[in-house]
Amino acid sequence: MVQNIQQPGTRPLLGLRSAIVLLLGVLTGIGAGVLTYLAQRSLPAAALAAGAGFGAGVLFFHNIID
């Protein structure tokens, strides 16, 4: 038998929408970083591209997911 271990009245740390937006932002950042590294073979450039991809992805998915 599965028991619910959450206390009554507690809420999760992050809502479902926020978790999805952040997850998609992380995946976008990883994709941008990997593609940049494969193109330029530079870790600093890949890290900057990953950070920019994460920020742009979060803004984009925040706007389109309702």
Side-chain angles (χ1 to χ4, degrees):
M1 175 183 275
V2 177
Q3 295 179 354
N4 187 2
I5 59 173
Q6 285 187 346
Q7 298 293 326
T10 60
R11 297 184 343 194
L13 182 63
L14 225 59
L16 180 61
R17 181 181 179 275
S18 299
I20 290 174
V21 167
L22 289 175
L23 174 66
L24 291 172
V26 166
L27 292 175
T28 303
I30 289 172
V34 167
L35 290 175
T36 302
Y37 180 75
L38 291 175
Q40 297 183 1
R41 299 286 184 204
S42 170
L43 283 177
L48 287 174
F54 171 76
V58 167
L59 288 174
F60 176 74
F61 291 116
H62 172 70
N63 286 329
I64 67 166
I65 296 177
D66 256 340

